[in-house]
Amino acid sequence: FPENIIDVGFNRGQFSSLILIFKKSASIYAFDPNVGETIFIANKIKKSYPHRFEFFNFALGDVVERKLLNLAVSTDNNSFMKPTNENKNLYSKALLTGKKSKVLIKTLSSVNFKLDSSNNLLKIDVQGFELKVLKGISKKLYKKIKWIYIEVSEIKMYKGQGSLKLIDDFLRDNGFFLKQKF
């Protein structure tokens, strides 16, 4: 099992919480630009697991910048990209509220955190911004990542999102190969 999990798209901490509860040796580095409930939950988890959980309240991408995050009915669907009509038809919670939040984006390689081994898992669930996150990782950091668990849709859910083929090609160029599709 991985020593560290890099949870990009923490949201309400569902993934991180399960790992912390069931794998006592794993540590989590979680990233999410959302405020409110996300920060409240991250703080609760930090109090429960002070030595195994670190939260970063910003987004990850391919460049360091400030960008407007489109706020959706459900925070699970907040995105820098606008949902396609197909997404809106399939998921009513993907509908935008009309509000935006200006957030900081950094590259994963620019973040100061410690990975002592190469036994690390990168989890990405970022509503169409996956390729941007992957492009913000240096070759040196890719060598410290053993597994990548990424949510990518074959259906175009967000305008401007990287396709499954583009993401798969990019990952192959960095030594990762698709094991299973759900």
Side-chain angles (χ1 to χ4, degrees):
F1 198 84
E3 285 180 37
N4 300 289
I5 289 97
I6 303 162
D7 183 356
V8 183
F10 170 80
N11 192 25
R12 289 188 295 272
Q14 307 93 315
F15 184 83
S16 287
S17 296
L18 283 173
I19 299 297
L20 290 165
I21 290 167
F22 292 109
K23 291 297 180 182
K24 307 288 186 222
S25 61
S27 293
I28 307 272
Y29 297 101
F31 297 85
D32 202 294
N34 289 318
V35 295
E37 184 181 23
T38 297
I39 293 174
F40 175 77
I41 292 168
N43 286 336
K44 279 184 79 170
I45 293 172
K46 180 69 175 169
K47 283 180 185 173
S48 297
Y49 302 95
H51 304 292
R52 297 178 45 217
F53 180 78
E54 185 84 29
F55 180 71
F56 300 88
N57 190 217
F58 51 82
L60 294 176
D62 58 340
V63 294
V64 176
E65 65 181 332
R66 290 203 178 272
K67 193 171 177 108
L68 291 174
L69 181 69
N70 298 301
L71 303 181
V73 172
S74 172
T75 59
D76 297 51
N77 297 294
N78 289 351
S79 178
F80 293 109
M81 301 169 174
K82 293 194 174 171
T84 61
N85 287 332
E86 190 162 17
N87 187 353
K88 290 186 270 188
N89 291 335
L90 289 169
Y91 305 104
S92 61
K93 291 182 178 182
L95 295 173
L96 299 179
T97 63
K99 297 178 183 174
K100 297 178 186 225
S101 177
K102 193 168 196 173
V103 301
L104 176 63
I105 301 174
K106 292 185 177 186
T107 65
L108 185 57
S109 293
S110 72
V111 179
N112 187 19
F113 65 102
K114 192 175 183 181
L115 299 176
D116 291 328
S117 75
S118 60
N119 185 20
N120 302 293
L121 169 83
L122 171 63
K123 170 258 182 188
I124 304 173
D125 182 358
V126 291
Q127 308 318 107
F129 216 62
E130 298 82 12
L131 189 57
K132 298 273 190 185
V133 171
L134 293 169
K135 288 182 175 181
I137 301 171
S138 67
K139 296 279 186 196
K140 181 180 175 184
L141 184 53
Y142 268 117
K143 290 179 180 173
K144 293 202 172 233
I145 298 169
K146 190 171 187 176
W147 302 280
I148 298 176
Y149 178 82
I150 185 169
E151 179 185 278
V152 181
S153 176
E154 293 185 54
I155 301 168
K156 188 173 182 179
M157 302 299 277
Y158 293 90
K159 296 173 185 172
Q161 79 180 46
S163 69
L164 176 60
K165 181 178 180 352
L166 281 174
I167 291 168
D168 186 44
D169 289 346
F170 184 85
L171 287 171
R172 284 178 183 277
D173 289 346
N174 285 285
F176 293 88
F177 299 92
L178 184 64
K179 291 281 187 189
Q180 188 170 2
K181 280 190 337 188
F182 295 100

